[in-house]
Amino acid sequence: MKTEERHRLIGELLRHRAEISVEELTEACDASGATIRRDLEVLASHGVLRRVHGGARSLIVRGENPGYGQRELEDQAVKVRIAAAVAGLLRDREHVWLDSGTTATEIARTLRGRELTLMPMSVRSLTAVTDADPNAGQRPALLLPGGSLVPGELCFRGPFAEANIRSLRFDTAVVTPCALNLKDGLLAHDLEDAAVKRAGLESAARVIVACAGSKWNANAVALVAALDAVNVIVTDKDLSAEELAHLNKLSVEVVKA
């Protein structure tokens, strides 16, 4: 098993367990104890887990937002497909608001050569857009929201960011919720994140939601918006006939990634 595959598996196991031993991981990953210990040290340095004697402990409690390092390991192939689908929905010369998070960073990578005006809500997305060959030609014009920078997440939050977002009008907002369900709509793990997402959503003529299937019916505490505020959902989830009918009543288009 390759290093990246081991890291993903360890992260996934700790999504469902409070603690796991080195011995259990050597069996699950078919690797030596020394290799697993090195993996755990690397993952601990990225905020994925806490190293304890004889193994590792999860940093996640029910309904809590996993750290960026943990989320970056998850659903990577899905995020790439979702990002490509979202990019295909954006038209040249649009003004686009882009949420923060790992999916948003992947979307930013797909927009490097696009003729857009983009407000990215994280330093990682900003870097993903600008980290390209300076002679590559066209790239998005950037607007920065300001506000407070959240450690670890490196995203912009707070009333200053919200005020700057609300002072503009975007053609499209790309929202990446922490959770989604048909009853409540779009959810986030904390109130500040929800407020920023709401500001972006309410400042745009069109709202695209990028949401991996793993986030459907997940737990999150803060309401962002009901689904009737959404125009398009891009997801890898195979929706049931009932789910599609519900979204159709709300005039929400579903794009399968």
Side-chain angles (χ1 to χ4, degrees):
M1 187 179 291
K2 295 180 180 178
T3 301
E4 183 177 305
E5 294 172 333
R6 290 197 310 275
H7 287 184
R8 291 183 194 278
L9 178 57
I10 293 168
E12 181 60 27
L13 290 170
L14 283 171
R15 288 278 278 171
H16 305 287
R17 297 184 54 175
E19 194 167 322
I20 194 164
S21 69
V22 170
E23 288 74 16
E24 289 173 297
L25 289 172
T26 59
E27 183 175 348
C29 298
D30 191 23
S32 69
T35 296
I36 293 299
R37 291 184 185 91
R38 285 195 297 272
D39 288 339
L40 295 182
E41 293 299 334
V42 170
L43 292 173
S45 72
H46 290 130
V48 174
L49 51 83
R50 179 179 294 115
R51 191 75 168 87
V52 297
H53 180 69
R57 182 170 296 154
S58 174
L59 297 177
I60 305 167
V61 299
R62 185 178 183 273
E64 183 185 23
N65 187 24
Y68 191 95
Q70 168 77 44
R71 303 194 319 273
E72 194 174 26
L73 295 174
E74 299 169 353
D75 297 329
Q76 185 56 35
V78 169
K79 290 170 189 172
V80 170
R81 297 203 308 272
I82 287 175
V86 170
L89 296 172
L90 299 177
R91 300 175 292 269
D92 286 345
R93 294 181 293 282
E94 278 199 69
H95 288 70
V96 178
W97 181 87
L98 178 61
D99 207 349
S100 60
T102 57
T103 302
T105 301
E106 196 60 49
I107 293 168
R109 289 191 183 99
T110 71
L111 303 180
R112 286 174 176 171
R114 295 290 301 275
E115 187 181 356
L116 300 167
T117 299
L118 183 68
M119 178 180 276
M121 292 306 298
S122 79
V123 173
R124 288 186 173 92
S125 289
L126 175 64
T127 302
V129 170
T130 57
D131 185 17
D133 181 352
N135 300 315
Q138 183 66 52
R139 66 178 62 200
L142 296 171
L143 300 171
L144 300 185
S148 303
L149 196 62
V150 179
E153 293 292 319
L154 297 183
C155 60
F156 300 101
R157 300 251 181 98
F160 188 64
E162 293 170 43
N164 285 341
I165 294 166
R166 291 186 183 279
S167 71
L168 300 171
R169 293 296 176 265
F170 300 92
D171 297 300
T172 300
V174 180
V175 182
T176 58
C178 303
L180 181 156
N181 66 66
L182 296 186
K183 177 178 178 291
D184 299 313
L186 311 180
L187 303 168
H189 283 296
D190 67 72
L191 298 179
E192 280 198 337
D193 187 27
V196 164
K197 292 179 189 299
R198 194 177 305 115
L201 180 150
E202 292 176 352
S203 298
R206 178 177 64 151
V207 176
I208 297 174
V209 170
C211 186
S214 59
K215 294 183 179 181
W216 287 71
N217 301 315
N219 294 304
V221 68
L223 177 65
V224 176
L227 289 177
D228 60 5
V230 174
N231 300 105
V232 184
I233 295 177
V234 179
T235 184
D236 64 307
K237 178 177 168 61
D238 291 317
L239 300 182
S240 67
E242 292 78 10
E243 289 171 322
L244 289 170
H246 180 85
L247 292 170
N248 185 55
K249 284 182 181 179
L250 298 174
S251 298
V252 178
E253 178 187 358
V254 177
V255 174
K256 180 71 184 299

